[in-house]
Amino acid sequence: MNLLIILISTSLISNVVLCQFLGLCPFLGVSKKVDTAIGMGAAVIFVITVASAITWLIYSFILTPLNITYLQTIVFILVIAALVQLVEMILKKSIPSLYQALGVYLPLITTNCAVLGVALINVQKEYNFIESLISGFGTAVGFTISITILAGIREKIENNDVPHSFKGMPIVLITAGLMSIAFMGFSGIQFK
């Protein structure tokens, strides 16, 4: 039951993008088309889930026993950068069209504060390995849900008559704000 609560909480209730406001750069930049948003979401799911597992292992079995936990941020960033390079190489070889569509935003996963934020939150909340894995996966699924919803809305907005002063990023930011308000409605959910 605890794992289900972590999964629902990280994906919906405290959504990394719409409630914690982490990872806004790829959220706003890659959400023009649903296909690209889903591709970015899949890459983020892989990176965050694997990063959560690896950073927990490094923190628990290397940093804590050696009493060098103050290096956690640097070590976590290095792990995330290596994982993003791996994803980039895999996409370049296997799905070149998605690699081209993601463009500059794929390497930006390295600096996506949501990925580092999850690793640090897992340590802060003292999650065990399975809880860290579920937290990372749930956070990434929440990111994917929010970026896909925004991409769908943005595709529909292009067919509408938007006032000139709201065209482009202003209407996207208004839409993201309204989505954030809607997702914050989940914060009233309580598990018994």
Side-chain angles (χ1 to χ4, degrees), residues 1-187:
M1 185 65 173
N2 187 37
L3 296 178
L4 182 63
I5 290 171
I6 291 172
L7 181 66
I8 292 172
S9 174
T10 55
S11 60
L12 296 175
I13 297 170
S14 60
N15 185 285
V16 70
V17 176
L18 299 173
C19 295
Q20 296 179 14
F21 307 111
L22 298 174
L24 291 175
C25 180
F27 175 70
L28 296 173
V30 185
S31 61
K32 291 181 182 176
K33 297 195 180 288
V34 173
D35 295 341
T36 310
I38 291 171
M40 175 59 100
V44 168
I45 286 173
F46 175 79
V47 170
I48 289 182
T49 304
V50 174
S52 295
I54 293 173
T55 55
W56 185 89
L57 292 170
I58 290 172
Y59 184 83
S60 298
F61 294 114
I62 297 173
L63 299 179
T64 301
L66 295 175
N67 199 25
I68 54 172
T69 55
Y70 56 88
L71 293 175
Q72 72 184 7
T73 304
I74 294 169
V75 172
F76 291 178
I77 289 172
L78 291 173
V79 167
I80 292 164
L83 286 171
V84 170
Q85 288 299 313
L86 178 67
V87 168
E88 196 170 354
M89 290 186 307
I90 291 170
L91 285 179
K92 192 173 187 178
K93 292 286 182 188
S94 60
I95 313 173
S97 60
L98 180 59
Y99 175 79
Q100 291 294 332
L102 293 176
V104 71
Y105 293 101
L106 186 58
L108 283 178
I109 295 175
T110 304
T111 58
N112 184 344
C113 53
V115 183
L116 179 60
V118 171
L120 294 173
I121 288 169
N122 289 342
V123 168
Q124 181 185 22
K125 291 189 175 184
E126 298 178 356
Y127 285 153
N128 62 34
F129 180 75
I130 299 296
E131 291 171 337
S132 293
L133 204 59
I134 296 297
S135 172
F137 178 74
T139 300
V141 167
F143 177 87
T144 304
I145 289 169
S146 57
I147 195 172
T148 305
I149 291 171
L150 182 63
I153 293 171
R154 284 181 77 172
E155 284 182 357
K156 296 292 183 191
I157 287 175
E158 287 194 19
N159 298 328
N160 293 326
D161 188 26
V162 177
H164 180 69
S165 59
F166 287 111
K167 285 188 179 182
M169 197 50 69
I171 194 69
V172 173
L173 291 173
I174 291 169
T175 304
L178 291 172
M179 286 176 58
S180 178
I181 291 169
F183 267 73
M184 286 188 181
F186 288 125
S187 64

